[in-house]
Amino acid sequence: MRGPPTSGTPSAPAPQVYGHYKQSDAQNGPPVSQTYTPAAVNLSGTQATYSQQFGAPPTSVQQVTNQMAGMQVGAALPTTAAPGYGKKTKNSLPPSRPPTGPQLSYGAPPPQAQSGFPNQYPGPVPHQPPVSQPSPFHAAPPPAGFPPQPGAPPSPAGMPVTQLHHQSMSQANHVSLGPAQPGGMPPTGPPPQPGMQGYPPQQNGSFNSRDHTHHSNSGAFLKITLHKYSLFFSPKIQVIEDDKANKSGEPFTTGVRGQAPPLVTTNFQVRDQGNASPHFVRCTAYNMPCTSDMAKQSQVPLAAVIKPLATLPADEAPPYLVDHGESGPIRCNRCKAYMCPYMQFIEGGRRFQCAFCSCVTEVPPHYFQHLDHTGKRVDCYERPELSLGSYEFLATVDYCKNNKVPQPPAFIFLIDVSYNAVKSGMVGIVCQELKTLLDYLPRENPEVESNVRVGFVTYNKVLHFYNVKSTLAQPQMMVVSDVADMFVPLLDGFLVSVSESRVVIESLLDKIPEMFADTRETETVFAPVIQAGLDALKAADCAGKLFIFHTSLPIAEAPGKLKNREDKKLVGTDKEKSLFQPQVSFYGNLAKECVAQGCCVDLFLFPNQYVDVATLAVVPVSTGGSVYKYRYFQAQTDQERFLNDLRRDVQKQMGFDAVMRVRTSTGIRATDFFGSFYMSNTTDVELAGLDCDKTVTVEFRHDDKLSEETGALIQCAVLYTSCNGQRRLRIHNMAVNCCAQLADLYRNCETDTIINFFTKYAYRSMLSSPTKTVRDSLVNQCAQILACYRKNCASPSSAGQLILPECMKLLPVYLNCVLKSDVLHPAADTSLDDRAYLRQLVSAMDVAESHVFFYPRLLPLVKSPQYDSYLPVAVRDSEERLSKGGLYLLETGLHLFLWVGANAQQELLQNVFGVPAFGQIDPNMTSLPVLDNPYSKKLRGIVESFRTQRPRYMKLLVVKQEDKLELIFKHFLVEDKNGCGGASYVDFLCHMHKEIRQLLS
Ligand SMILES: [Zn+2]
């Protein structure tokens, strides 16, 4: 049969179609398939032949559905946050239990940080007590002199200094733009020309990097003078290299309150001494202003970017798991904050005072311990929750839904088998890969089999469910074509253990590509696919993840049906925002249901045209899931990237059915949240799934005055189900300083984190405001930040100087990158789907990812492999840095380019590509040939290390100079003016300067 199937029955000879439901069958009587198997369900018109496992046959579809619902009574779940989380407990004293002492498991030493998952706490914490502030939160104010300002080393060797202006009073970078002011610093280049006040666009190449000034004043502050001709200082690269030089040697210890960590570009080891590692939490400001007036005046956002389940570097141990016994973790009676190093024990250790709300709580007898002469518990360093910034608690059944220990989670794979999906090779690749990938489902102990169960669905405009029960000789298919009223036609045999059903699963995965090989069906549904996965998890009473492999706009008649609404004419207008809002409200409601069930949705898209990512991504984004997009997917060129993404996505550590709550000490509170999650109230961040790559950005605002003495304290608690079904709480504590002087605020900010926050804020604002308004307000806020500094913290200087705080030297360059990003400032050929895709992607990025995404890393690859253990030093993202004779690697976290200069030497080309001439390089290659020479090895090693650092696999694109691909490559040279009107860095710096001057005048 060659014609397109009309009912959802695959056109290819399907081995076993155990019942399908279609309207036309109503007159045909029961199909023959009814006799096949006990597990099969045959629905025929209004007559349903119901299998014995479901009891008496219902008489209608509705009845089947009702009966299914009836079977799920026990699984009916509340749609709100998990009970027990934040709920009042009667008393912190154990009700009727004799004191049993602490419940720590003293077992074998923790396995080293491979898994990223916690160990049982092995005993005394193997580290030194905090160095300077044993109890930072209650300690005296920080030493009067701040630690030496990081990132401001002496002028590095090889960094020529053309102008040097000490100005000991001001603690600033002075960037003098435009003509030198009378009495100011004389320019070194040609004299300024009249009419240059307006800072016209600079000519490419007119800036000489050697002309910049970069010098330190007693190792603390920089002053940089620029004018039109004597540019350029290279702040971006220099700041990064300085930070590496200064901070990568020694471990970063977290015991000192308010200490900004090394930059994300620096490799460093962390020692947890009471505050969460920067791998888990990064703040925009480590000196928070004491009052809301100060915060408002400075406009510096107060926010933390939190990556609760971050995978730590191999040399750092994952958080310990603490068990406080049957009564659960010790918490403050009033605000429910969890026991942490900042709680103060009083009355000989019988009670503790909460560091967040000051309430005094009794210490339960089993947790009692004596205090030493300084008021600290003598067991302080033996208990992670009293000495570390990050740790986990074992949660009790009070923390589980319906007070019931959760089932292990399930993974359901839902594969689009429409024409495009089959033709592109996607279906075949997915099925082939799953056969091996299923052996790598997440588990805590690599020795033990994963508890995660799996299920399989294929679909086009109808859905096919598969029974893969281990006792079957062959998998069985059940077709549900009533997509308007989705239900799961089988329970037993749908979710199975891989090891038990391996043979049947493999047989199924072999058959799927065959069954649909000749399909003509081009239409797909989408919402019913999610609905089906959700219902299956509901029926199994477990949390889990759906992996949906989807190709096209779901135009088939079904709930959540979409139409093509791509309208480029709206771009740049006030209506542009509507393009980023979901097309229909159906998906928002579906997302809510998914969250209630702990059903996380990951979406792999393979579009050949507009698929409305803005709408399709609603459920993934609301459930803590991920969206991957492979445009014009072709097996040959894109398989490697897709498979690497899929492997990582399936294997990565994650928590299910999670709720995150951020508590703060008096004076500030968490007011806003950004990321992939759902919120049904103002405090609980609900995450159907939370993987090791996801971040949640939290904004704080004052609700009272903060004190310099006590600082401010943040506690992030994430309740989740581990992949083996254990309910846990992960706690991250972070104490920061508070300051009454603006200068102190500006001394201790982190620009990368500020940019991460601003981007997420701006990308969300696009849903409600015109893009231009969003961009303007970003510029305005940054100008206010810098103007406030200039006005209040810098010494008087001429208006021609742009003065930047040391830690915000890079604010303008990064801000410009955000403003000209595809999302906020698209090129004419940027698709709406791409923008919607990037918008949601950035919203869950951590600081390291957003950093490289906005300011890509550009490495010059010199001829000899002289650096055996070091990476070449990156250069600025500007075309003028590219030498015709060179080779450059550029990475963005999503893309990886190898740019080859037209005059690259023969030896170099031979070493890298194995060809003697530029013309012979194949621009279509996606991986470098494996050649046995040090240069090839080194380069491939760098490419590999870049890939392992990023959550998504980067396909390598070889860009030959002057080739057409070079246009795409140049788009990432973000310091240059771009083709769609994005300003060069220099132009933007001038623009910022003008804005600041306006604010000051
Ligand atoms: Zn409290």
Side-chain angles (χ1 to χ4, degrees):
M1 153 171 145
R2 303 295 302 172
T6 53
S7 69
T9 310
S11 58
Q16 291 152 318
V17 180
Y18 288 97
H20 54 267
Y21 168 60
K22 56 181 178 182
Q23 243 13 76
S24 59
D25 282 345
Q27 288 83 35
N28 301 341
V32 285
S33 57
Q34 63 176 303
T35 54
Y36 282 163
T37 163
V41 178
N42 296 303
L43 301 174
S44 179
T46 54
Q47 294 295 312
T49 309
Y50 210 62
S51 70
Q52 61 199 43
Q53 71 182 97
F54 295 142
T59 52
S60 68
V61 174
Q62 189 54 47
Q63 206 169 335
V64 171
T65 315
N66 290 343
Q67 197 154 347
M68 293 290 294
M71 296 184 65
Q72 295 163 21
V73 166
L77 295 166
T79 53
T80 52
Y85 191 77
K87 91 173 180 193
K88 282 198 175 128
T89 47
K90 278 165 269 159
N91 198 321
S92 56
L93 283 168
S96 58
R97 198 163 54 87
T100 56
Q103 298 284 310
L104 294 184
S105 309
Y106 288 79
Q112 277 315 299
Q114 301 305 337
S115 70
F117 259 69
N119 308 306
Q120 290 292 100
Y121 184 52
V125 182
H127 70 66
Q128 304 291 318
V131 190
S132 60
Q133 287 174 291
S135 177
F137 191 69
H138 291 284
F146 274 84
Q149 191 61 22
S155 178
M159 182 59 68
V161 174
T162 54
Q163 294 185 10
L164 170 59
H165 306 280
H166 287 283
Q167 195 168 355
S168 53
M169 302 263 299
S170 87
Q171 303 173 335
N173 296 309
H174 291 207
V175 182
S176 162
L177 291 156
Q181 301 297 309
M185 307 81 192
T188 55
Q193 294 170 7
M196 281 301 169
Q197 293 284 18
Y199 310 112
Q202 305 294 336
Q203 295 306 303
N204 198 12
S206 68
F207 307 117
N208 184 339
S209 63
R210 281 182 297 172
D211 280 342
H212 71 252
T213 304
H214 179 116
H215 203 83
S216 68
N217 175 5
S218 44
F221 299 102
L222 299 184
K223 176 167 182 173
I224 292 163
T225 297
L226 302 180
H227 69 91
K228 177 164 184 296
Y229 295 100
S230 73
L231 274 170
F232 203 98
F233 76 123
S234 172
K236 155 75 185 161
I237 302 305
Q238 198 55 52
V239 169
I240 289 174
E241 290 306 317
D242 290 349
D243 196 74
K244 279 183 191 166
N246 293 329
K247 298 193 183 167
S248 58
E250 296 217 334
F252 175 71
T253 56
T254 68
V256 183
R257 187 178 80 193
Q259 195 185 20
L263 297 177
V264 287
T265 36
T266 300
N267 277 327
F268 60 97
Q269 205 194 352
V270 180
R271 283 210 196 118
D272 185 341
Q273 294 185 344
N275 286 308
S277 155
H279 297 305
F280 293 123
V281 182
R282 278 186 178 265
C283 299
T284 53
Y286 289 84
N287 282 349
M288 280 196 180
C290 278
T291 65
S292 62
D293 282 350
M294 258 177 89
K296 211 169 158 188
Q297 195 184 355
S298 74
Q299 287 290 314
V300 173
L302 303 179
V305 178
I306 306 175
K307 198 176 186 183
L309 300 186
T311 306
L312 296 177
D315 54 358
E316 288 172 36
Y320 294 105
L321 182 59
V322 179
D323 185 353
H324 277 178
E326 287 170 27
S327 51
I330 313 290
R331 306 171 72 173
C332 165
N333 268 350
R334 186 199 286 158
C335 74
K336 301 294 167 196
Y338 293 85
M339 182 50 65
C340 72
Y342 299 99
M343 300 296 191
Q344 198 165 37
F345 287 86
I346 53 174
E347 296 174 25
R350 287 187 302 277
R351 307 168 95 195
F352 69 90
Q353 184 168 30
C354 178
F356 298 87
C357 74
S358 302
C359 173
V360 173
T361 300
E362 300 270 347
V363 173
H366 73 82
Y367 195 64
F368 175 80
Q369 187 52 268
H370 293 285
L371 309 182
D372 69 11
H373 66 285
T374 65
K376 264 189 341 212
R377 280 171 63 119
V378 296
D379 62 351
C380 172
Y381 295 110
E382 290 157 28
R383 288 182 175 274
E385 77 277 20
L386 298 180
S387 54
L388 298 178
S390 301
Y391 43 88
E392 295 206 322
F393 287 117
L394 203 57
T396 58
V397 287
D398 288 343
Y399 294 81
C400 304
K401 269 181 187 167
N402 303 336
N403 288 356
K404 224 169 73 186
V405 178
Q407 301 273 342
F411 281 2
I412 303 176
F413 299 89
L414 306 110
I415 308 165
D416 179 348
V417 289
S418 66
Y419 179 79
N420 279 334
V422 174
K423 188 164 167 267
S424 68
M426 181 272 277
V427 174
I429 291 169
V430 170
C431 291
Q432 182 61 31
E433 179 65 21
L434 284 180
K435 284 197 277 179
T436 43
L437 193 51
L438 293 178
D439 287 329
Y440 297 94
L441 298 174
R443 70 202 74 192
E444 299 212 33
N445 181 350
E447 312 289 309
V448 180
E449 211 174 274
S450 174
N451 284 335
V452 176
R453 287 167 296 164
V454 296
F456 304 89
V457 172
T458 56
Y459 66 95
N460 36 51
K461 64 187 203 187
V462 299
L463 275 75
H464 325 109
F465 293 81
Y466 297 93
N467 185 344
V468 283
K469 199 176 177 176
S470 59
T471 50
L472 294 176
Q474 288 286 313
Q476 298 170 344
M477 175 199 259
M478 268 148 270
V479 180
V480 174
S481 44
D482 185 6
V483 289
D485 194 10
M486 187 44 60
F487 65 96
V488 182
L490 79 165
L491 294 182
D492 189 34
F494 180 68
L495 290 180
V496 297
S497 139
V498 174
S499 60
E500 283 171 19
S501 290
R502 178 178 307 277
V503 178
V504 193
I505 291 173
E506 289 195 357
S507 160
L508 171 68
L509 293 171
D510 282 335
K511 280 181 175 138
I512 288 173
E514 290 170 26
M515 281 192 287
F516 299 98
D518 298 321
T519 186
R520 298 287 183 86
E521 184 56 70
T522 56
E523 292 190 1
T524 58
V525 295
F526 187 68
V529 179
I530 298 175
Q531 186 77 54
L534 168 63
D535 287 352
L537 294 180
K538 272 187 189 169
D541 191 15
C542 68
K545 183 144 107 168
L546 311 184
F547 297 79
I548 304 180
F549 305 89
H550 188 80
T551 56
S552 57
L553 193 69
I555 53 169
E557 201 52 59
K561 170 185 173 178
L562 299 178
K563 57 181 194 295
N564 189 335
R565 56 160 177 167
E566 184 177 34
D567 187 355
K568 283 271 180 79
K569 287 196 295 296
L570 296 185
V571 174
T573 71
D574 286 0
K575 287 189 181 142
E576 185 174 4
K577 56 178 184 280
S578 69
L579 299 170
F580 298 101
Q581 296 161 353
Q583 190 179 140
V584 292
S585 60
F586 189 88
Y587 291 95
N589 298 328
L590 186 56
K592 202 169 153 182
E593 277 189 66
C594 287
V595 173
Q597 180 59 38
C599 170
C600 172
V601 177
D602 277 3
L603 177 59
F604 293 81
L605 285 170
F606 306 85
N608 285 341
Q609 52 197 344
Y610 179 73
V611 291
D612 200 345
V613 172
T615 305
L616 296 190
V618 166
V619 178
V621 164
S622 311
T623 58
S626 307
V627 180
Y628 299 83
K629 189 153 111 17
Y630 310 91
R631 207 173 164 196
Y632 305 124
F633 179 83
Q634 284 303 316
Q636 202 182 347
T637 48
D638 302 306
Q639 167 166 305
E640 188 186 353
R641 179 163 76 100
F642 163 56
L643 286 181
N644 277 283
D645 286 345
L646 176 62
R647 285 170 195 151
R648 195 188 143 99
D649 197 67
V650 167
Q651 293 177 52
K652 70 183 165 189
Q653 293 294 355
M654 66 177 293
F656 299 87
D657 206 4
V659 188
M660 170 173 150
R661 170 77 75 86
V662 177
R663 292 179 174 80
T664 48
S665 54
T666 314
I668 52 160
R669 66 199 165 87
T671 52
D672 212 346
F673 301 85
F674 303 82
S676 293
F677 52 74
Y678 180 80
M679 290 186 81
S680 56
N681 57 40
T682 54
T683 51
D684 292 331
V685 177
E686 298 175 48
L687 298 126
L690 172 63
D691 66 50
C692 56
D693 297 324
K694 294 289 184 308
T695 64
V696 176
T697 296
V698 186
E699 188 183 14
F700 302 98
R701 287 186 192 272
H702 289 80
D703 56 10
D704 205 347
K705 222 170 161 271
L706 294 167
S707 122
E708 282 183 282
E709 191 187 329
T710 54
L713 185 57
I714 300 158
Q715 183 178 75
C716 163
V718 180
L719 174 65
Y720 71 97
T721 303
S722 72
C723 60
N724 62 355
Q726 198 174 47
R727 202 74 174 144
R728 290 181 185 161
L729 282 147
R730 180 166 289 201
I731 312 292
H732 295 299
N733 299 293
M734 176 60 84
V736 297
N737 282 332
C738 295
C739 59
Q741 299 298 321
L742 281 165
D744 291 338
L745 164 66
Y746 282 100
R747 220 188 301 252
N748 214 2
C749 288
E750 202 189 43
T751 294
D752 289 323
T753 311
I754 292 176
I755 286 292
N756 181 289
F757 171 82
F758 274 152
T759 310
K760 290 173 180 175
Y761 191 90
Y763 280 13
R764 190 175 69 187
S765 304
M766 291 174 63
L767 293 175
S768 50
S769 307
T771 312
K772 184 177 182 309
T773 312
V774 172
R775 295 171 50 210
D776 289 348
S777 58
L778 259 187
V779 174
N780 186 265
Q781 188 169 358
C782 286
Q784 287 191 49
I785 291 173
L786 299 175
C788 174
Y789 174 79
R790 169 81 183 235
K791 193 173 161 196
N792 298 288
C793 309
S795 64
S797 52
S798 70
Q801 286 182 322
L802 171 60
I803 302 179
L804 306 172
E806 170 66 27
C807 65
M808 292 185 185
K809 272 200 297 196
L810 304 183
L811 191 63
V813 67
Y814 290 160
L815 177 65
N816 187 38
C817 298
V818 174
L819 291 170
K820 60 202 258 188
S821 64
D822 286 336
V823 177
L824 284 177
H825 193 149
D829 60 348
T830 308
S831 75
L832 282 167
D833 271 349
D834 277 338
R835 294 175 69 196
Y837 169 73
L838 292 173
R839 202 184 74 84
Q840 60 80 30
L841 192 61
V842 170
S843 300
M845 274 186 183
D846 72 5
V847 181
E849 283 172 79
S850 62
H851 170 90
V852 77
F853 178 78
F854 288 109
Y855 197 101
R857 177 153 62 158
L858 180 61
L859 292 188
L861 304 163
V862 293
K863 194 170 137 271
S864 70
Q866 54 183 277
Y867 352 77
D868 283 332
S869 54
Y870 296 102
L871 278 182
V873 174
V875 296
R876 287 169 33 222
D877 288 338
S878 173
E879 194 175 352
E880 71 187 65
R881 303 311 303 250
L882 301 175
S883 143
K884 273 193 152 195
L887 223 60
Y888 296 79
L889 200 58
L890 182 141
E891 77 131 347
T892 72
L894 295 178
H895 306 276
L896 188 59
F897 296 97
L898 180 59
W899 184 89
V900 191
N903 293 349
Q905 288 180 16
Q906 187 183 341
E907 187 194 352
L908 188 60
L909 299 179
Q910 193 71 52
N911 281 339
V912 174
F913 301 104
V915 297
F918 181 78
Q920 285 171 268
I921 300 169
D922 174 11
N924 297 318
M925 70 168 69
T926 52
S927 59
L928 295 170
V930 178
L931 302 173
D932 188 20
N933 66 70
Y935 196 91
S936 173
K937 281 180 190 160
K938 173 77 185 171
L939 178 52
R940 283 181 287 117
I942 294 174
V943 167
E944 209 37 56
S945 80
F946 281 11
R947 282 174 175 159
T948 54
Q949 284 168 37
R950 307 296 171 202
R952 293 181 184 229
Y953 187 83
M954 294 180 286
K955 179 163 118 179
L956 180 72
L957 287 174
V958 175
V959 180
K960 294 166 75 175
Q961 191 175 9
E962 311 274 311
D963 209 24
K964 61 177 190 297
L965 203 55
E966 201 184 25
L967 262 182
I968 301 174
F969 171 79
K970 282 183 179 170
H971 189 66
F972 296 100
L973 298 176
V974 289
E975 286 199 15
D976 298 342
K977 184 194 274 252
N978 72 17
C980 48
S984 71
Y985 170 44
V986 179
D987 290 347
F988 181 70
L989 203 58
C990 296
H991 176 66
M992 273 303 277
H993 190 205
K994 218 157 78 182
E995 295 279 317
I996 294 166
R997 284 166 70 167
Q998 258 168 23
L999 287 172
L1000 290 172
S1001 62

